[in-house]
Amino acid sequence: MFFEEKLWLFALASSKNSYLCPVILEKLSLINYKNIAAADLELSPKMNCFIGHNGAGKTNVLDAVYFLSFCRSATNPIDSQVLRHGEDFMMLEGFYSPLTAHISCGMKRGQKKVFKRDKKAYKRLSEHIGLIPLVMIAPDDTLLIDGGSEERRRLLDMGVSQLDRSYIEALNNYNKTLQQRNTLLKDEEHEPDPDVMSILEEQMADWGEAIYERRGQYVEQITPLFQAFYNDIANAHEEVTLRYTSHCQRGPLLEVIRRDRMKDRAVGYSLHGVHRDDLEILLDGHPMRREGSQGQRKTFAIALKLAQYKYLSQYTMLHTPQATGSKPLLLLDDIFDKLDSQRVEKIVALVSGDEFGQIFITDTNRDHLDQILKQSSHDYRIFQVENGEINSKS
């Protein structure tokens, strides 16, 4: 189903939020994943807490959960580097309900990973994206504010891709066409064939405008959710907002791309297109990166991810079994550092509520976790992580 055809589901799901069914990871098995030699975990359907010192491996557990949703690590784009040092293979397995699905990923050193659902390998990994909706909040989310535009585009792409498989296709096709055009532009020995360039530019424009439309709709829908979360957590009076910028706003994208073809040839790559889009993050109308304090930046990033979570929970892809959507998995990796007690208290109150489904949380400070568990009446499990070994404490 196309993104714009599902907008009506947003209102429907919002009115029936009590019927949202959480995706539950019941069992997780890891073999040779980063510093974890082997682990078989029976998980709580609500709260799973991993306690340990920095470098113990607790973040690697969350990363494995992320890997099973997105077919890649959250922290390392090079697949071979998730293998434990000195080992020749790795294996991840997850058992999910109510999907009644067994998801596995195996990889041998020097070979491509193999992703399977119920022991049947995917032909394309993109077929898996969105089956197990997930949002991860981590310390490096402040790069959304301080980092380059690619960080913010990735946020948009990860959000929309879990909602609309046609978006993944458009993004893949655009990037492939962009790469082909750039190859011609950087060829110093031959002038690009103008007919070939025209065809590539037309394809770039077609795919690019589809991407632009979907990104724009997504930003429009999550902005009020984000503002509500920020105001709740920060209890602040400042105005925060998001502003999507794109070369598509300068006119038909094909014209924008073609008018600077000679300049592109001079620099050897494409200067215009949706690969240069950005998401402006504003505090009282000014860039957050210049105006925001450390606490404001972290609160901004957390609120943005929580808005993404709520949006995903309100309507997800058709291949989830619930017509009104499903609650995604929420991963909270060491998020309380450098936040004042008031903001920690607000976040604890939020994630402890019924609005959120299954949660995975890491911390070095047991006090934070005790505070969360004290406010929650739901089931929970605590795991101690030391040197890659994981032991249940509950």
Side-chain angles (χ1 to χ4, degrees):
M1 182 182 290
F2 287 94
F3 191 94
E4 57 268 26
E5 293 175 314
K6 295 190 298 181
L7 290 177
W8 66 275
L9 282 175
F10 184 87
L12 175 65
S14 298
S15 65
K16 298 183 178 181
N17 200 45
S18 60
Y19 294 99
L20 297 182
C21 183
V23 175
I24 302 297
L25 176 56
E26 297 179 341
K27 299 178 183 179
L28 174 66
S29 296
L30 307 88
I31 299 176
N32 296 331
Y33 191 79
K34 297 192 173 182
N35 76 327
I36 301 171
D40 290 295
L41 308 180
E42 299 275 347
L43 300 165
S44 163
K46 178 60 179 179
M47 192 84 69
N48 296 278
C49 308
F50 297 86
I51 303 170
H53 298 297
N54 292 329
K58 58 189 187 298
T59 295
N60 294 342
V61 180
L62 270 60
D63 194 58
V65 177
Y66 183 98
F67 202 112
L68 287 172
S69 280
F70 290 108
C71 307
R72 64 180 295 273
S73 166
T75 59
N76 195 329
I78 303 174
D79 286 335
S80 62
Q81 293 183 6
V82 305
L83 271 69
R84 190 164 179 258
H85 292 311
E87 302 296 340
D88 293 326
F89 77 99
M90 76 87 174
M91 174 67 73
L92 298 176
E93 292 183 283
F95 297 85
Y96 296 84
S97 66
L99 302 172
T100 60
H102 169 225
I103 305 300
S104 66
C105 178
M107 182 173 60
K108 294 181 179 179
R109 193 172 296 279
Q111 299 182 20
K112 290 184 177 181
K113 62 193 170 195
V114 178
F115 239 87
K116 296 181 180 180
R117 178 181 180 185
D118 297 329
K119 299 183 179 181
K120 183 178 180 181
Y122 285 102
K123 293 181 179 179
R124 295 186 301 175
L125 295 180
S126 60
E127 296 173 4
H128 179 69
I129 307 302
L131 177 69
I132 306 163
L134 179 150
V135 172
M136 183 172 186
I137 305 178
D140 62 3
D141 285 340
T142 53
L143 288 174
L144 292 170
I145 299 161
D146 301 325
S149 59
E150 66 275 7
E151 299 289 341
R152 294 178 285 279
R153 286 193 299 274
R154 187 178 299 115
L155 173 83
L156 299 180
D157 293 340
M158 296 299 282
V160 181
S161 293
Q162 293 187 81
L163 299 169
D164 187 352
R165 194 173 289 151
S166 68
Y167 180 83
I168 302 175
E169 180 183 359
L171 195 61
N172 288 339
N173 287 334
Y174 178 88
N175 288 333
K176 181 180 178 180
T177 307
L178 172 65
Q179 186 177 28
Q180 292 172 331
R181 185 175 188 265
N182 285 346
T183 298
L184 294 179
L185 290 170
K186 68 177 62 171
D187 187 345
E188 297 179 358
E189 297 182 1
H190 307 92
E191 279 300 314
D193 185 317
D195 292 332
V196 174
M197 287 291 285
S198 292
I199 292 172
L200 292 176
E201 289 162 354
E202 289 172 5
Q203 293 174 341
M204 273 183 65
D206 288 343
W207 294 119
E209 289 179 344
I211 292 166
Y212 167 71
E213 180 180 0
R214 286 156 175 76
R215 285 176 177 171
Q217 290 169 338
Y218 183 71
V219 173
E220 181 181 358
Q221 294 288 341
I222 69 168
T223 295
L225 301 176
F226 153 71
Q227 290 170 327
F229 275 120
Y230 183 91
N231 290 333
D232 192 10
I233 296 170
N235 193 26
H237 301 292
E238 65 256 28
E239 180 184 0
V240 292
T241 192
L242 307 172
R243 185 164 63 200
Y244 176 43
T245 62
S246 174
H247 291 148
C248 289
Q249 295 160 348
R250 300 180 181 181
L253 186 56
L254 181 58
E255 295 180 9
V256 174
I257 293 172
R258 280 183 172 169
R259 75 169 62 123
D260 279 329
R261 185 191 290 179
M262 295 305 296
K263 187 181 296 185
D264 292 353
R265 173 64 173 155
V267 298
Y269 55 89
S270 302
L271 290 167
H272 297 91
V274 296
H275 60 287
R276 306 295 290 264
D277 285 1
D278 203 352
L279 184 66
E280 294 184 0
I281 297 175
L282 306 174
L283 174 68
D284 288 333
H286 302 286
M288 171 70 81
R289 70 171 65 196
R290 292 205 304 261
E291 301 291 329
S293 67
Q294 192 173 43
Q296 286 173 319
R297 295 180 189 201
K298 189 155 189 176
T299 303
F300 194 107
I302 291 171
L304 190 53
K305 289 293 189 74
L306 291 177
Q308 188 179 58
Y309 179 96
K310 187 169 184 177
Y311 192 63
L312 277 171
S313 72
Q314 290 177 326
Y315 71 94
T316 50
M317 293 177 67
L318 278 183
H319 60 200
T320 54
Q322 292 74 39
T324 55
S326 57
K327 295 178 183 177
L329 304 178
L330 179 63
L331 312 186
L332 305 175
D333 184 24
D334 194 22
I335 68 167
F336 298 117
D337 185 41
K338 298 182 176 65
L339 287 177
D340 60 49
S341 59
Q342 181 183 15
R343 296 183 192 220
V344 170
E345 191 174 322
K346 286 284 189 178
I347 295 169
V348 166
L350 282 170
V351 302
S352 301
D354 293 332
E355 186 175 357
F356 292 87
Q358 189 180 29
I359 297 172
F360 296 77
I361 183 168
T362 70
D363 208 321
T364 57
N365 187 339
R366 177 67 189 260
D367 293 342
H368 289 150
L369 297 181
D370 286 340
Q371 188 179 357
I372 292 175
L373 299 176
K374 185 177 179 180
Q375 292 197 29
S376 175
S377 60
H378 298 284
D379 179 70
Y380 67 87
R381 290 188 184 166
I382 298 175
F383 300 88
Q384 184 73 40
V385 185
E386 294 182 17
N387 298 320
E389 294 187 2
I390 308 168
N391 297 293
S392 177
K393 305 297 286 185
S394 54

